[in-house]
Amino acid sequence: ICAFFAKQANIPYIFDVRDRYPRVLADLGFLNASSLLYSILEYLEDRIYRKAHIVTTVTNGLVRELVSSYKKRKFQLVRNGFDELVFTDELLNFDKRSAFTVVYHGRLGRFYDLDTYLEIINIVYNRDSSIRFIMVGELPKEIHLNRPPNLEILPAMKLESLSKILASCHLGICLLRDLPAMRNAFPAKAYDYIGAGIPVLAGPRGEFSHVVEELNIGITLEKLSANEVADSILEIKNKKEVWSKMCNQIKKNRKDFGRRKIAKQFFKRELL
């Protein structure tokens, strides 16, 4: 709607793409890719991209996809990033919880599998009950009804409070569903983990896990097996030197993931 009125008023607009709609709806099973509605939405997507002055998106994979389909258009990578004014350098030396703690924050939406998370938490509890889990945010009722004994659930909170919760933990977890659209994803919550200075447990294979692996800022998994995830959590808990090395790598690279730095780079490159 905004793109339509911008075009009518002859106002150049920048369009930001977080997910490739309508394709992601087909991947999730909500829309038939051969339906009339899908064709209409695909047409609208095409028109918006072609009429935009610049199209920005959040991962290299999405940039490559868009460039291959719209060679004459201008596509730029502008990652999400973490807020440097909230996730300050002081968090890098924040006191950790006495028990090894794995944290998840945000909604458990359709890009995540609730049952897999619950299975992982239960497996870890049976193998090492000293390991704790924290989930922060508006979560499905099912997780409250079936809450494992090693899981603490906290309500959604302001980013300033959340940043301290994350920094007090040892490992951030972000496991996406194994869908084609997820291979080009880099979830926003992962930037908050990096901003808080904690290693990331990422999977399955895709751009997100590739960055984590390349920079050695966490653990990556090819496929989402609850047992393998549990094994990885136990391993990193028992290998403090490996965990410390990952923390040091985050300290070394985290500034490149700051939201304001990313925005300034984009502004200098495209708008000056």
PDB file of all heavy atoms in Angstrom, residues 92-122:
ATOM      1  N   LEU A  92      29.968  -7.357  28.475  1.00  0.00           N
ATOM      2  CA  LEU A  92      30.955  -8.398  28.188  1.00  0.00           C
ATOM      3  C   LEU A  92      31.602  -8.921  29.468  1.00  0.00           C
ATOM      4  O   LEU A  92      32.162 -10.020  29.474  1.00  0.00           O
ATOM      5  CB  LEU A  92      32.020  -7.866  27.236  1.00  0.00           C
ATOM      6  CG  LEU A  92      31.512  -7.399  25.861  1.00  0.00           C
ATOM      7  CD1 LEU A  92      32.654  -6.817  25.040  1.00  0.00           C
ATOM      8  CD2 LEU A  92      30.832  -8.534  25.117  1.00  0.00           C
ATOM      9  N   ASN A  93      31.536  -8.147  30.528  1.00  0.00           N
ATOM     10  CA  ASN A  93      32.113  -8.564  31.811  1.00  0.00           C
ATOM     11  C   ASN A  93      31.038  -8.782  32.875  1.00  0.00           C
ATOM     12  O   ASN A  93      31.323  -8.765  34.067  1.00  0.00           O
ATOM     13  CB  ASN A  93      33.120  -7.501  32.285  1.00  0.00           C
ATOM     14  CG  ASN A  93      34.258  -7.321  31.301  1.00  0.00           C
ATOM     15  OD1 ASN A  93      34.876  -8.285  30.870  1.00  0.00           O
ATOM     16  ND2 ASN A  93      34.522  -6.073  30.918  1.00  0.00           N
ATOM     17  N   PHE A  94      29.820  -8.991  32.429  1.00  0.00           N
ATOM     18  CA  PHE A  94      28.694  -9.167  33.350  1.00  0.00           C
ATOM     19  C   PHE A  94      28.826 -10.507  34.075  1.00  0.00           C
ATOM     20  O   PHE A  94      29.246 -11.506  33.491  1.00  0.00           O
ATOM     21  CB  PHE A  94      27.384  -9.138  32.555  1.00  0.00           C
ATOM     22  CG  PHE A  94      26.183  -8.746  33.362  1.00  0.00           C
ATOM     23  CD1 PHE A  94      25.916  -7.414  33.643  1.00  0.00           C
ATOM     24  CD2 PHE A  94      25.312  -9.708  33.841  1.00  0.00           C
ATOM     25  CE1 PHE A  94      24.811  -7.048  34.380  1.00  0.00           C
ATOM     26  CE2 PHE A  94      24.196  -9.357  34.575  1.00  0.00           C
ATOM     27  CZ  PHE A  94      23.945  -8.022  34.850  1.00  0.00           C
ATOM     28  N   ASP A  95      28.463 -10.532  35.346  1.00  0.00           N
ATOM     29  CA  ASP A  95      28.557 -11.768  36.134  1.00  0.00           C
ATOM     30  C   ASP A  95      27.624 -12.841  35.586  1.00  0.00           C
ATOM     31  O   ASP A  95      26.429 -12.581  35.349  1.00  0.00           O
ATOM     32  CB  ASP A  95      28.210 -11.494  37.598  1.00  0.00           C
ATOM     33  CG  ASP A  95      29.282 -10.676  38.299  1.00  0.00           C
ATOM     34  OD1 ASP A  95      30.429 -10.674  37.817  1.00  0.00           O
ATOM     35  OD2 ASP A  95      28.962 -10.037  39.324  1.00  0.00           O
ATOM     36  N   LYS A  96      28.174 -14.050  35.420  1.00  0.00           N
ATOM     37  CA  LYS A  96      27.383 -15.167  34.921  1.00  0.00           C
ATOM     38  C   LYS A  96      26.643 -15.855  36.071  1.00  0.00           C
ATOM     39  O   LYS A  96      27.049 -15.781  37.231  1.00  0.00           O
ATOM     40  CB  LYS A  96      28.276 -16.190  34.216  1.00  0.00           C
ATOM     41  CG  LYS A  96      29.023 -15.643  33.009  1.00  0.00           C
ATOM     42  CD  LYS A  96      28.077 -15.239  31.910  1.00  0.00           C
ATOM     43  CE  LYS A  96      28.821 -14.716  30.687  1.00  0.00           C
ATOM     44  NZ  LYS A  96      27.912 -14.190  29.654  1.00  0.00           N
ATOM     45  N   ARG A  97      25.575 -16.545  35.759  1.00  0.00           N
ATOM     46  CA  ARG A  97      24.848 -17.341  36.741  1.00  0.00           C
ATOM     47  C   ARG A  97      25.716 -18.492  37.212  1.00  0.00           C
ATOM     48  O   ARG A  97      26.581 -18.972  36.478  1.00  0.00           O
ATOM     49  CB  ARG A  97      23.549 -17.862  36.132  1.00  0.00           C
ATOM     50  CG  ARG A  97      22.565 -16.739  35.815  1.00  0.00           C
ATOM     51  CD  ARG A  97      21.418 -17.192  34.948  1.00  0.00           C
ATOM     52  NE  ARG A  97      20.571 -16.054  34.654  1.00  0.00           N
ATOM     53  CZ  ARG A  97      19.391 -15.811  35.229  1.00  0.00           C
ATOM     54  NH1 ARG A  97      18.921 -16.651  36.131  1.00  0.00           N
ATOM     55  NH2 ARG A  97      18.700 -14.738  34.911  1.00  0.00           N
ATOM     56  N   SER A  98      25.472 -18.931  38.418  1.00  0.00           N
ATOM     57  CA  SER A  98      26.301 -19.998  38.999  1.00  0.00           C
ATOM     58  C   SER A  98      26.145 -21.311  38.243  1.00  0.00           C
ATOM     59  O   SER A  98      27.108 -22.068  38.095  1.00  0.00           O
ATOM     60  CB  SER A  98      25.941 -20.189  40.475  1.00  0.00           C
ATOM     61  OG  SER A  98      24.559 -20.478  40.615  1.00  0.00           O
ATOM     62  N   ALA A  99      24.941 -21.585  37.735  1.00  0.00           N
ATOM     63  CA  ALA A  99      24.710 -22.793  36.937  1.00  0.00           C
ATOM     64  C   ALA A  99      24.822 -22.457  35.457  1.00  0.00           C
ATOM     65  O   ALA A  99      24.427 -21.360  35.029  1.00  0.00           O
ATOM     66  CB  ALA A  99      23.333 -23.367  37.241  1.00  0.00           C
ATOM     67  N   PHE A 100      25.373 -23.378  34.666  1.00  0.00           N
ATOM     68  CA  PHE A 100      25.463 -23.175  33.223  1.00  0.00           C
ATOM     69  C   PHE A 100      24.048 -22.997  32.676  1.00  0.00           C
ATOM     70  O   PHE A 100      23.174 -23.852  32.860  1.00  0.00           O
ATOM     71  CB  PHE A 100      26.138 -24.369  32.561  1.00  0.00           C
ATOM     72  CG  PHE A 100      26.448 -24.149  31.108  1.00  0.00           C
ATOM     73  CD1 PHE A 100      27.645 -23.574  30.722  1.00  0.00           C
ATOM     74  CD2 PHE A 100      25.535 -24.520  30.134  1.00  0.00           C
ATOM     75  CE1 PHE A 100      27.936 -23.371  29.373  1.00  0.00           C
ATOM     76  CE2 PHE A 100      25.809 -24.318  28.785  1.00  0.00           C
ATOM     77  CZ  PHE A 100      27.017 -23.743  28.405  1.00  0.00           C
ATOM     78  N   THR A 101      23.809 -21.864  31.988  1.00  0.00           N
ATOM     79  CA  THR A 101      22.450 -21.497  31.585  1.00  0.00           C
ATOM     80  C   THR A 101      22.360 -21.227  30.095  1.00  0.00           C
ATOM     81  O   THR A 101      23.159 -20.484  29.531  1.00  0.00           O
ATOM     82  CB  THR A 101      21.977 -20.250  32.365  1.00  0.00           C
ATOM     83  OG1 THR A 101      22.105 -20.497  33.767  1.00  0.00           O
ATOM     84  CG2 THR A 101      20.533 -19.924  32.039  1.00  0.00           C
ATOM     85  N   VAL A 102      21.361 -21.836  29.470  1.00  0.00           N
ATOM     86  CA  VAL A 102      21.068 -21.664  28.045  1.00  0.00           C
ATOM     87  C   VAL A 102      19.809 -20.809  27.935  1.00  0.00           C
ATOM     88  O   VAL A 102      18.807 -21.077  28.618  1.00  0.00           O
ATOM     89  CB  VAL A 102      20.834 -23.019  27.351  1.00  0.00           C
ATOM     90  CG1 VAL A 102      20.602 -22.818  25.851  1.00  0.00           C
ATOM     91  CG2 VAL A 102      22.009 -23.952  27.597  1.00  0.00           C
ATOM     92  N   VAL A 103      19.842 -19.779  27.089  1.00  0.00           N
ATOM     93  CA  VAL A 103      18.720 -18.845  27.022  1.00  0.00           C
ATOM     94  C   VAL A 103      18.147 -18.766  25.609  1.00  0.00           C
ATOM     95  O   VAL A 103      18.852 -18.874  24.612  1.00  0.00           O
ATOM     96  CB  VAL A 103      19.158 -17.429  27.505  1.00  0.00           C
ATOM     97  CG1 VAL A 103      20.202 -16.828  26.576  1.00  0.00           C
ATOM     98  CG2 VAL A 103      17.952 -16.498  27.649  1.00  0.00           C
ATOM     99  N   TYR A 104      16.826 -18.575  25.563  1.00  0.00           N
ATOM    100  CA  TYR A 104      16.105 -18.285  24.313  1.00  0.00           C
ATOM    101  C   TYR A 104      15.228 -17.075  24.591  1.00  0.00           C
ATOM    102  O   TYR A 104      14.594 -16.990  25.648  1.00  0.00           O
ATOM    103  CB  TYR A 104      15.227 -19.471  23.900  1.00  0.00           C
ATOM    104  CG  TYR A 104      14.352 -19.174  22.706  1.00  0.00           C
ATOM    105  CD1 TYR A 104      14.775 -19.491  21.422  1.00  0.00           C
ATOM    106  CD2 TYR A 104      13.113 -18.553  22.853  1.00  0.00           C
ATOM    107  CE1 TYR A 104      13.990 -19.200  20.314  1.00  0.00           C
ATOM    108  CE2 TYR A 104      12.321 -18.253  21.757  1.00  0.00           C
ATOM    109  CZ  TYR A 104      12.756 -18.585  20.493  1.00  0.00           C
ATOM    110  OH  TYR A 104      11.986 -18.288  19.394  1.00  0.00           O
ATOM    111  N   HIS A 105      15.154 -16.151  23.642  1.00  0.00           N
ATOM    112  CA  HIS A 105      14.231 -15.032  23.842  1.00  0.00           C
ATOM    113  C   HIS A 105      13.467 -14.735  22.561  1.00  0.00           C
ATOM    114  O   HIS A 105      13.944 -14.987  21.455  1.00  0.00           O
ATOM    115  CB  HIS A 105      14.972 -13.786  24.357  1.00  0.00           C
ATOM    116  CG  HIS A 105      15.408 -12.827  23.297  1.00  0.00           C
ATOM    117  ND1 HIS A 105      14.557 -11.914  22.737  1.00  0.00           N
ATOM    118  CD2 HIS A 105      16.614 -12.616  22.695  1.00  0.00           C
ATOM    119  CE1 HIS A 105      15.209 -11.180  21.843  1.00  0.00           C
ATOM    120  NE2 HIS A 105      16.458 -11.594  21.798  1.00  0.00           N
ATOM    121  N   GLY A 106      12.268 -14.214  22.734  1.00  0.00           N
ATOM    122  CA  GLY A 106      11.424 -13.879  21.591  1.00  0.00           C
ATOM    123  C   GLY A 106      10.252 -14.833  21.466  1.00  0.00           C
ATOM    124  O   GLY A 106      10.102 -15.783  22.230  1.00  0.00           O
ATOM    125  N   ARG A 107       9.414 -14.572  20.488  1.00  0.00           N
ATOM    126  CA  ARG A 107       8.264 -15.429  20.243  1.00  0.00           C
ATOM    127  C   ARG A 107       8.710 -16.758  19.629  1.00  0.00           C
ATOM    128  O   ARG A 107       9.626 -16.794  18.826  1.00  0.00           O
ATOM    129  CB  ARG A 107       7.279 -14.743  19.293  1.00  0.00           C
ATOM    130  CG  ARG A 107       6.618 -13.512  19.866  1.00  0.00           C
ATOM    131  CD  ARG A 107       5.709 -12.854  18.846  1.00  0.00           C
ATOM    132  NE  ARG A 107       4.645 -13.736  18.423  1.00  0.00           N
ATOM    133  CZ  ARG A 107       4.565 -14.286  17.220  1.00  0.00           C
ATOM    134  NH1 ARG A 107       5.522 -14.065  16.314  1.00  0.00           N
ATOM    135  NH2 ARG A 107       3.551 -15.064  16.890  1.00  0.00           N
ATOM    136  N   LEU A 108       8.056 -17.818  20.024  1.00  0.00           N
ATOM    137  CA  LEU A 108       8.286 -19.107  19.369  1.00  0.00           C
ATOM    138  C   LEU A 108       7.271 -19.215  18.241  1.00  0.00           C
ATOM    139  O   LEU A 108       6.269 -19.924  18.335  1.00  0.00           O
ATOM    140  CB  LEU A 108       8.124 -20.257  20.366  1.00  0.00           C
ATOM    141  CG  LEU A 108       9.400 -20.759  21.032  1.00  0.00           C
ATOM    142  CD1 LEU A 108       9.069 -21.754  22.138  1.00  0.00           C
ATOM    143  CD2 LEU A 108      10.333 -21.408  20.017  1.00  0.00           C
ATOM    144  N   GLY A 109       7.534 -18.467  17.156  1.00  0.00           N
ATOM    145  CA  GLY A 109       6.605 -18.418  16.031  1.00  0.00           C
ATOM    146  C   GLY A 109       6.712 -19.632  15.130  1.00  0.00           C
ATOM    147  O   GLY A 109       7.292 -20.660  15.477  1.00  0.00           O
ATOM    148  N   ARG A 110       6.175 -19.487  13.940  1.00  0.00           N
ATOM    149  CA  ARG A 110       6.073 -20.620  13.021  1.00  0.00           C
ATOM    150  C   ARG A 110       7.413 -21.007  12.396  1.00  0.00           C
ATOM    151  O   ARG A 110       7.506 -22.029  11.730  1.00  0.00           O
ATOM    152  CB  ARG A 110       5.049 -20.306  11.927  1.00  0.00           C
ATOM    153  CG  ARG A 110       3.666 -20.026  12.490  1.00  0.00           C
ATOM    154  CD  ARG A 110       2.638 -19.856  11.399  1.00  0.00           C
ATOM    155  NE  ARG A 110       1.364 -19.405  11.955  1.00  0.00           N
ATOM    156  CZ  ARG A 110       0.457 -20.213  12.489  1.00  0.00           C
ATOM    157  NH1 ARG A 110       0.703 -21.494  12.555  1.00  0.00           N
ATOM    158  NH2 ARG A 110      -0.676 -19.733  12.951  1.00  0.00           N
ATOM    159  N   PHE A 111       8.446 -20.188  12.609  1.00  0.00           N
ATOM    160  CA  PHE A 111       9.777 -20.530  12.105  1.00  0.00           C
ATOM    161  C   PHE A 111      10.536 -21.436  13.083  1.00  0.00           C
ATOM    162  O   PHE A 111      11.660 -21.836  12.809  1.00  0.00           O
ATOM    163  CB  PHE A 111      10.595 -19.267  11.855  1.00  0.00           C
ATOM    164  CG  PHE A 111      10.031 -18.398  10.756  1.00  0.00           C
ATOM    165  CD1 PHE A 111      10.317 -17.042  10.719  1.00  0.00           C
ATOM    166  CD2 PHE A 111       9.214 -18.922   9.772  1.00  0.00           C
ATOM    167  CE1 PHE A 111       9.812 -16.236   9.709  1.00  0.00           C
ATOM    168  CE2 PHE A 111       8.695 -18.123   8.754  1.00  0.00           C
ATOM    169  CZ  PHE A 111       8.990 -16.781   8.731  1.00  0.00           C
ATOM    170  N   TYR A 112       9.918 -21.725  14.223  1.00  0.00           N
ATOM    171  CA  TYR A 112      10.559 -22.534  15.258  1.00  0.00           C
ATOM    172  C   TYR A 112       9.639 -23.680  15.648  1.00  0.00           C
ATOM    173  O   TYR A 112       8.409 -23.553  15.581  1.00  0.00           O
ATOM    174  CB  TYR A 112      10.877 -21.673  16.492  1.00  0.00           C
ATOM    175  CG  TYR A 112      11.699 -20.453  16.167  1.00  0.00           C
ATOM    176  CD1 TYR A 112      11.078 -19.249  15.833  1.00  0.00           C
ATOM    177  CD2 TYR A 112      13.080 -20.498  16.171  1.00  0.00           C
ATOM    178  CE1 TYR A 112      11.823 -18.120  15.511  1.00  0.00           C
ATOM    179  CE2 TYR A 112      13.841 -19.376  15.860  1.00  0.00           C
ATOM    180  CZ  TYR A 112      13.199 -18.194  15.529  1.00  0.00           C
ATOM    181  OH  TYR A 112      13.936 -17.082  15.207  1.00  0.00           O
ATOM    182  N   ASP A 113      10.220 -24.794  16.076  1.00  0.00           N
ATOM    183  CA  ASP A 113       9.449 -25.969  16.449  1.00  0.00           C
ATOM    184  C   ASP A 113       9.461 -26.122  17.969  1.00  0.00           C
ATOM    185  O   ASP A 113      10.478 -26.492  18.564  1.00  0.00           O
ATOM    186  CB  ASP A 113      10.039 -27.211  15.773  1.00  0.00           C
ATOM    187  CG  ASP A 113       9.225 -28.464  16.056  1.00  0.00           C
ATOM    188  OD1 ASP A 113       8.074 -28.326  16.512  1.00  0.00           O
ATOM    189  OD2 ASP A 113       9.733 -29.564  15.832  1.00  0.00           O
ATOM    190  N   LEU A 114       8.335 -25.824  18.600  1.00  0.00           N
ATOM    191  CA  LEU A 114       8.219 -25.867  20.057  1.00  0.00           C
ATOM    192  C   LEU A 114       8.556 -27.244  20.610  1.00  0.00           C
ATOM    193  O   LEU A 114       9.269 -27.370  21.609  1.00  0.00           O
ATOM    194  CB  LEU A 114       6.802 -25.467  20.469  1.00  0.00           C
ATOM    195  CG  LEU A 114       6.423 -25.675  21.940  1.00  0.00           C
ATOM    196  CD1 LEU A 114       7.319 -24.851  22.856  1.00  0.00           C
ATOM    197  CD2 LEU A 114       4.953 -25.316  22.158  1.00  0.00           C
ATOM    198  N   ASP A 115       8.052 -28.297  19.966  1.00  0.00           N
ATOM    199  CA  ASP A 115       8.276 -29.663  20.459  1.00  0.00           C
ATOM    200  C   ASP A 115       9.757 -30.008  20.507  1.00  0.00           C
ATOM    201  O   ASP A 115      10.218 -30.682  21.436  1.00  0.00           O
ATOM    202  CB  ASP A 115       7.526 -30.667  19.588  1.00  0.00           C
ATOM    203  CG  ASP A 115       6.011 -30.570  19.748  1.00  0.00           C
ATOM    204  OD1 ASP A 115       5.575 -30.057  20.795  1.00  0.00           O
ATOM    205  OD2 ASP A 115       5.292 -30.994  18.834  1.00  0.00           O
ATOM    206  N   THR A 116      10.510 -29.544  19.509  1.00  0.00           N
ATOM    207  CA  THR A 116      11.957 -29.810  19.492  1.00  0.00           C
ATOM    208  C   THR A 116      12.643 -29.135  20.673  1.00  0.00           C
ATOM    209  O   THR A 116      13.494 -29.743  21.339  1.00  0.00           O
ATOM    210  CB  THR A 116      12.585 -29.317  18.170  1.00  0.00           C
ATOM    211  OG1 THR A 116      11.988 -30.027  17.079  1.00  0.00           O
ATOM    212  CG2 THR A 116      14.090 -29.548  18.159  1.00  0.00           C
ATOM    213  N   TYR A 117      12.265 -27.900  20.956  1.00  0.00           N
ATOM    214  CA  TYR A 117      12.859 -27.190  22.097  1.00  0.00           C
ATOM    215  C   TYR A 117      12.562 -27.912  23.407  1.00  0.00           C
ATOM    216  O   TYR A 117      13.453 -28.092  24.246  1.00  0.00           O
ATOM    217  CB  TYR A 117      12.339 -25.751  22.149  1.00  0.00           C
ATOM    218  CG  TYR A 117      13.081 -24.797  21.247  1.00  0.00           C
ATOM    219  CD1 TYR A 117      12.748 -24.672  19.907  1.00  0.00           C
ATOM    220  CD2 TYR A 117      14.123 -24.014  21.728  1.00  0.00           C
ATOM    221  CE1 TYR A 117      13.423 -23.803  19.070  1.00  0.00           C
ATOM    222  CE2 TYR A 117      14.810 -23.133  20.905  1.00  0.00           C
ATOM    223  CZ  TYR A 117      14.451 -23.031  19.575  1.00  0.00           C
ATOM    224  OH  TYR A 117      15.134 -22.175  18.746  1.00  0.00           O
ATOM    225  N   LEU A 118      11.316 -28.325  23.590  1.00  0.00           N
ATOM    226  CA  LEU A 118      10.947 -29.031  24.817  1.00  0.00           C
ATOM    227  C   LEU A 118      11.682 -30.367  24.937  1.00  0.00           C
ATOM    228  O   LEU A 118      12.124 -30.755  26.027  1.00  0.00           O
ATOM    229  CB  LEU A 118       9.437 -29.261  24.854  1.00  0.00           C
ATOM    230  CG  LEU A 118       8.573 -28.035  25.167  1.00  0.00           C
ATOM    231  CD1 LEU A 118       7.091 -28.358  25.004  1.00  0.00           C
ATOM    232  CD2 LEU A 118       8.843 -27.514  26.573  1.00  0.00           C
ATOM    233  N   GLU A 119      11.823 -31.056  23.817  1.00  0.00           N
ATOM    234  CA  GLU A 119      12.530 -32.332  23.835  1.00  0.00           C
ATOM    235  C   GLU A 119      13.991 -32.137  24.230  1.00  0.00           C
ATOM    236  O   GLU A 119      14.548 -32.904  25.029  1.00  0.00           O
ATOM    237  CB  GLU A 119      12.431 -32.998  22.463  1.00  0.00           C
ATOM    238  CG  GLU A 119      13.023 -34.401  22.427  1.00  0.00           C
ATOM    239  CD  GLU A 119      12.908 -35.063  21.068  1.00  0.00           C
ATOM    240  OE1 GLU A 119      12.382 -34.426  20.123  1.00  0.00           O
ATOM    241  OE2 GLU A 119      13.347 -36.219  20.949  1.00  0.00           O
ATOM    242  N   ILE A 120      14.629 -31.118  23.687  1.00  0.00           N
ATOM    243  CA  ILE A 120      16.028 -30.824  24.017  1.00  0.00           C
ATOM    244  C   ILE A 120      16.179 -30.549  25.514  1.00  0.00           C
ATOM    245  O   ILE A 120      17.068 -31.086  26.177  1.00  0.00           O
ATOM    246  CB  ILE A 120      16.523 -29.611  23.202  1.00  0.00           C
ATOM    247  CG1 ILE A 120      16.629 -29.971  21.725  1.00  0.00           C
ATOM    248  CG2 ILE A 120      17.885 -29.118  23.731  1.00  0.00           C
ATOM    249  CD1 ILE A 120      16.741 -28.765  20.815  1.00  0.00           C
ATOM    250  N   ILE A 121      15.305 -29.710  26.045  1.00  0.00           N
ATOM    251  CA  ILE A 121      15.384 -29.336  27.461  1.00  0.00           C
ATOM    252  C   ILE A 121      15.219 -30.562  28.352  1.00  0.00           C
ATOM    253  O   ILE A 121      15.940 -30.732  29.347  1.00  0.00           O
ATOM    254  CB  ILE A 121      14.331 -28.256  27.785  1.00  0.00           C
ATOM    255  CG1 ILE A 121      14.653 -26.958  27.028  1.00  0.00           C
ATOM    256  CG2 ILE A 121      14.281 -27.966  29.284  1.00  0.00           C
ATOM    257  CD1 ILE A 121      13.555 -25.914  27.073  1.00  0.00           C
ATOM    258  N   ASN A 122      14.291 -31.440  27.996  1.00  0.00           N
ATOM    259  CA  ASN A 122      14.066 -32.655  28.790  1.00  0.00           C
ATOM    260  C   ASN A 122      15.240 -33.617  28.709  1.00  0.00           C
ATOM    261  O   ASN A 122      15.640 -34.222  29.717  1.00  0.00           O
ATOM    262  CB  ASN A 122      12.780 -33.341  28.337  1.00  0.00           C
ATOM    263  CG  ASN A 122      11.533 -32.722  28.942  1.00  0.00           C
ATOM    264  OD1 ASN A 122      11.428 -32.598  30.155  1.00  0.00           O
ATOM    265  ND2 ASN A 122      10.606 -32.315  28.097  1.00  0.00           N
TER     266      ASN A 122
END
